[in-house]
Amino acid sequence: MHPESSTGILRKSVRDRHKIVTRRDALAQGLPRYFTGYPCNKDHIAERDTKTEKCCQCWAEETERLRQKVQSPEPFPAHKATSYQIKKLMTKQQGRCAICDDPISLGAAENEIKRTANVDHCHQTGTVRGMLCSRCNVGLGMFNDDVDRFRKAIAYLEQHLATEGTSR
């Protein structure tokens, strides 16, 4: 972009207020941020983080968006499941995945051994079916809730386990 364009003039006025520091210079000086005067992909003319090169304004907006999501009154709004329903399912399942029976928790920080709980739901109706660990939830998703495909996968595994001489 030509420096005399209207955006170039805006950049110059912003540059006059901030000291231009390249990332290389900021790293050499041990600075946490640097400022080039050029906009990020979202047109923010702001400082950038030296380590990640991320625009500080984008970072702040993303942090605020995530903070609001975390503070949402219902942890799983997309599935129309309330906190009460989730806790009731977790109690009913005794804090275990409904498929593999591994321990799961609603908060990852609760226990390092437990996997994070996922709400399993029907994609057509949105009905909540239960709580699963992430591995089982992804497995169901990969099979697109297709029971016939699951049956074929089971037959396939059983066939190959029999020919390999191992059993489960």
Side-chain angles (χ1 to χ4, degrees):
M1 175 180 297
H2 195 272
E4 298 303 317
S5 69
S6 61
T7 311
I9 293 168
L10 172 67
R11 286 186 187 151
K12 184 174 181 343
S13 69
V14 172
R15 286 180 188 170
D16 291 343
R17 285 186 276 152
H18 296 281
K19 183 179 176 191
I20 302 297
V21 179
T22 65
R23 181 171 182 258
R24 182 179 295 177
D25 292 341
L27 285 169
Q29 296 173 29
L31 299 174
R33 292 184 214 95
Y34 67 99
F35 180 75
T36 63
Y38 292 99
C40 70
N41 292 338
K42 293 185 179 180
D43 287 332
H44 300 137
I45 300 176
E47 291 180 319
R48 294 174 188 242
D49 182 75
T50 304
K51 290 180 184 174
T52 64
E53 298 183 50
K54 191 166 187 175
C55 166
C56 292
Q57 190 171 345
C58 288
W59 195 313
E61 289 172 2
E62 178 68 12
T63 302
E64 177 61 22
R65 187 186 68 75
L66 290 172
R67 186 185 65 77
Q68 288 177 355
K69 183 178 178 181
V70 168
Q71 291 180 346
S72 171
E74 300 303 333
F76 302 98
H79 306 22
K80 296 181 178 76
T82 65
S83 298
Y84 175 75
Q85 289 170 321
I86 299 301
K87 289 176 184 172
K88 189 174 175 182
L89 278 170
M90 287 293 287
T91 303
K92 181 180 174 184
Q93 294 177 206
Q94 298 176 342
R96 298 192 164 276
C97 173
I99 294 176
C100 70
D101 207 35
D102 280 352
I104 55 176
S105 68
L106 292 174
E110 191 176 305
N111 186 336
E112 291 177 12
I113 298 170
K114 294 180 180 180
R115 294 191 182 132
T116 303
N118 290 262
V119 178
D120 176 41
H121 66 287
C122 174
H123 286 262
Q124 274 88 28
T125 65
T127 305
V128 175
R129 297 185 283 218
M131 302 300 291
L132 302 177
C133 71
S134 54
R135 187 180 297 167
C136 291
N137 191 45
V138 168
L140 283 180
M142 291 295 185
F143 279 87
N144 204 22
D145 297 343
D146 185 345
V147 177
D148 289 334
R149 188 176 286 179
F150 273 105
R151 287 189 182 111
K152 289 177 184 176
I154 291 167
Y156 173 82
L157 285 175
E158 288 175 341
Q159 174 190 355
H160 285 282
L161 288 174
T163 59
E164 292 168 3
T166 58
S167 62
R168 291 219 172 213

